[in-house]
């Protein structure tokens, strides 16, 4: 098949590579540097599997700035455009998705369109009515930054949503699910074809549940630290219960990244006319955790606090909405001198805070070093390090 993919971020590029193993894929982006990198078989994002597949696999993959031609010729189009949460409107900013849909309609494409961008509940239903000539489905992604292609090769599930009144798209939904299965290494993959609003709900409720789990173990850690208890022992003891499990329970400075902060806020916005307590609580719990960390550090009266990495997890070069940024803002408000060590950032400052690439100087001049996740870089000054990473894993 001829497949076009709009966007070369984690979602778009991982899907492009997965499908390019067996089909002719054109990845569309508006940034020339990213297009050139993909065509040189270089990854514009940090992801070990993406980097390996680009270098060593026989892929039918090209990247282009010419979306018109790509969409006009495609039989299948995947939209993987960013949808950031807008705090002013209280909803995802879906303008990039709508711009691509308008472009697809303008070039009179007959392709099956799959939205993979994260969107509000009910969005696909509304947008399919606005573009009645387009065949639009929604398929949520469940990918981790830094492991996006791995999560496509070994997916937890494949879900495809069909808008009400568009039941004729069922064969297309089945086709897309089969394409994703074809590219995967995992063989027994659960597949669910449902309504588009249900599929959107699965995405937002799944990520919010993960956020609840993060916030819950962080609040256990806050309590234990305040009361002089051993957090690790408490969490380990809880984890022996198979209903709780020993996974996704490592305390942190808060949940961050591209998905959890915005998805929890969007779900809360979807609850505007529905009684709820827990969804609002998890959003507030994340802010409480960051405030607690900042207050605790300030109580130690440091002369200078070093921030070790703006990224929040190992194997990722992305620090969008990382929790450490909220802590930095709170420490700045307290008048504490800060310095950031972030080797991937090609700037002298970040949000008014000096940035250094000199690890040795960073370690020497910082009284306290905040590290969301421990690293061998900090072993020589481990007595200076403040982290809540108890199990040395994400």
């Amino acid at each position: 098949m001829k497949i076009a993919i709009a966007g070369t971020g984690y979602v778009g590029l991982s899907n492009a590579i997965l499908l390019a193993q067996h089909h002719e894929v054109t990845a569309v982006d508006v940034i020339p540097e990213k297009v050139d990198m993909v065509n040189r078989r270089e990854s514009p994002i940090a992801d070990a599997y993406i980097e390996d597949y680009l270098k060593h696999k026989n892929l039918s993959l090209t990247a282009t700035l010419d979306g018109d031609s790509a969409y006009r010729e495609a039989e299948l189009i995947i939209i993987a455009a960013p949808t950031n949460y807008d705090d002013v409107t209280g909803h995802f900013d879906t303008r990039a998705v709508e711009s691509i849909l308008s472009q697809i309609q303008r070039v009179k494409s007959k392709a099956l369109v799959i939205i993979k961008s994260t969107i509000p509940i009910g969005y696909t239903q509304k947008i399919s009515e606005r573009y009645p000539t387009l065949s639009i489905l929604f398929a949520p992604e469940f990918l981790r930054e830094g492991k996006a292609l791995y999560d496509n090769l070994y997916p937890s599930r494949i879900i495809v949503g069909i808008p009400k009144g568009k039941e004729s798209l069922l064969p297309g939904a089945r086709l897309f699910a089969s394409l994703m299965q074809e590219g995967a290494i995992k063989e027994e993959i659960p597949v669910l074809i449902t309504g588009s609003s249900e599929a959107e709900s699965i995405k937002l409720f799944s990520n919010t549940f993960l956020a609840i789990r993060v916030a819950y173990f962080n609040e256990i850690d806050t309590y234990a630290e305040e009361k002089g208890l051993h957090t690790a022992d408490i969490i380990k003891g809880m984890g022996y219960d198979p209903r709780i499990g020993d996974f996704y329970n490592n305390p942190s400075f808060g949940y961050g990244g591209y998905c959890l902060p915005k998805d929890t806020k969007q779900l809360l916005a979807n609850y505007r006319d529905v009684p709820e307590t827990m969804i609002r609580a998890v959003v507030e719990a994340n802010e409480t955790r960051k405030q607690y960390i900042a207050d605790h550090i300030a109580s130690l009266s440091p002369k200078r606090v070093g921030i070790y990495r703006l990224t929040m997890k190992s194997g990722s070069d992305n620090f969008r909405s990382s929790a450490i940024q909220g802590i930095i803002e709170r420490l700045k408000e307290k008048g504490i001198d800060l310095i950031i060590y972030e080797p991937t950032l090609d700037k002298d400052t970040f949000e008014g805070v000096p940035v250094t690439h000199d690890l040795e100087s960073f370690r020497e001049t910082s009284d306290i070093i905040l590290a969301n996740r421990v690293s061998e870089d900090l072993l020589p000054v481990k007595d200076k390090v403040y982290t809540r990473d108890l199990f040395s894993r994400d």
Side-chain angles (χ1 to χ4, degrees):
M1 293 184 67
K2 286 190 174 182
I3 300 172
I5 298 185
T8 60
Y10 280 102
V11 177
L13 191 54
S14 62
N15 277 266
I17 292 171
L18 182 86
L19 296 168
Q21 296 176 98
H22 302 286
H23 303 276
E24 184 180 333
V25 177
T26 303
V28 181
D29 209 293
V30 296
I31 302 175
E33 293 80 6
K34 294 180 73 176
V35 168
D36 292 341
M37 288 185 72
V38 173
N39 286 330
R40 292 196 306 266
R41 293 297 186 262
E42 298 174 4
S43 176
I45 54 180
D47 186 300
Y49 271 75
I50 288 177
E51 293 165 8
D52 178 63
Y53 270 58
L54 283 174
K55 287 181 180 178
H56 302 118
K57 296 292 183 178
N58 184 21
L59 304 174
S60 180
L61 173 63
T62 57
T64 183
L65 298 167
D66 185 2
D68 282 5
S69 296
Y71 302 146
R72 187 183 297 113
E73 298 171 7
E75 300 166 79
L76 175 74
I77 300 171
I78 296 174
I79 297 178
T83 51
N84 296 317
Y85 183 82
D86 189 329
D87 286 304
V88 176
T89 64
H91 288 283
F92 286 136
D93 183 350
T94 57
R95 286 177 295 180
V97 174
E98 286 153 35
S99 175
I100 295 165
L101 288 171
S102 295
Q103 188 177 5
I104 293 169
Q105 180 175 262
R106 177 172 54 78
V107 300
K108 297 180 170 57
S109 172
K110 301 299 181 183
L112 178 68
V113 179
I114 311 292
I115 297 177
K116 269 197 161 286
S117 305
T118 304
I119 50 182
I121 298 170
Y123 178 83
T124 306
Q125 186 69 46
K126 292 179 181 177
I127 208 70
S128 65
E129 294 167 1
R130 193 183 308 173
Y131 294 91
T133 62
L134 300 183
S135 300
I136 304 173
L137 301 173
F138 174 70
E141 54 82 12
F142 304 98
L143 310 178
R144 294 168 293 174
E145 294 175 3
K147 295 184 178 179
L149 180 54
Y150 177 91
D151 289 339
N152 260 324
L153 295 168
Y154 301 92
S156 59
R157 70 276 210 197
I158 296 170
I159 294 170
V160 188
I162 304 172
K164 290 179 182 178
K166 300 285 185 175
E167 287 75 17
S168 61
L169 295 179
L170 178 58
R174 289 173 174 162
L175 170 64
F176 179 71
S178 70
L179 294 175
M180 300 301 286
Q181 289 173 300
E182 178 187 40
I185 294 174
K186 182 178 177 180
E187 294 183 356
E188 298 296 326
I189 307 168
V191 175
L192 177 63
I193 296 177
T194 184
S196 59
S197 294
E198 285 78 5
E200 293 158 352
S201 298
I202 290 166
K203 168 67 174 180
L204 294 185
F205 278 105
S206 292
N207 276 353
T208 300
F209 182 83
L210 295 176
I212 288 171
R213 190 172 171 101
V214 172
Y216 188 80
F217 284 106
N218 280 345
E219 292 210 346
I220 291 172
D221 181 55
T222 296
Y223 181 86
E225 191 173 26
E226 282 293 292
K227 300 297 184 180
L229 308 178
H230 294 287
T231 307
D233 288 345
I234 297 170
I235 293 175
K236 286 178 182 177
M238 293 171 60
Y240 290 134
D241 186 331
R243 295 170 299 179
I244 298 173
D246 185 26
F247 59 90
Y248 212 67
N249 57 4
N250 193 21
S252 65
F253 292 160
Y255 63 77
Y258 186 54
C259 292
L260 298 192
K262 70 186 183 74
D263 290 3
T264 52
K265 290 179 180 179
Q266 176 60 61
L267 184 59
L268 180 59
N270 277 108
Y271 263 94
R272 184 165 290 127
D273 301 319
V274 179
E276 63 80 29
T277 301
M278 189 174 295
I279 311 303
R280 183 176 308 277
V282 71
V283 173
E284 294 175 354
N286 203 41
E287 297 306 308
T288 299
R289 175 65 168 180
K290 289 182 280 190
Q291 188 65 54
Y292 168 75
I293 297 294
D295 289 345
H296 180 75
I297 295 302
S299 72
L300 301 176
S301 302
K303 293 180 180 179
R304 170 178 272 191
V305 173
I307 307 298
Y308 178 77
R309 307 301 305 269
L310 295 170
T311 55
M312 294 293 286
K313 59 175 67 176
S314 59
S316 173
D317 62 347
N318 177 37
F319 46 84
R320 289 177 293 189
S321 301
S322 60
I324 192 66
Q325 294 182 51
I327 296 171
I328 289 172
E329 285 302 313
R330 289 164 171 82
L331 292 175
K332 283 170 57 181
E333 291 172 0
K334 295 175 182 294
I336 294 175
D337 185 32
L338 302 172
I339 187 167
I340 298 169
Y341 173 74
E342 180 48 71
T344 68
L345 189 62
D346 188 23
K347 294 181 179 179
D348 294 329
T349 62
F350 179 81
E351 300 296 331
V353 178
V355 174
T356 181
H357 294 172
D358 187 337
L359 179 61
E360 185 174 350
S361 174
F362 170 80
R363 293 185 303 206
E364 288 180 359
T365 61
S366 301
D367 298 326
I368 297 174
I369 297 174
L370 296 188
N372 188 59
R373 290 295 177 251
V374 295
S375 167
E376 291 183 359
D377 286 347
L378 301 177
L379 289 179
V381 289
K382 60 182 180 180
D383 291 341
K384 290 185 176 184
V385 176
Y386 178 83
T387 183
R388 304 314 304 152
D389 181 5
L390 304 180
F391 305 119
S392 298
R393 63 171 187 257
D394 287 334

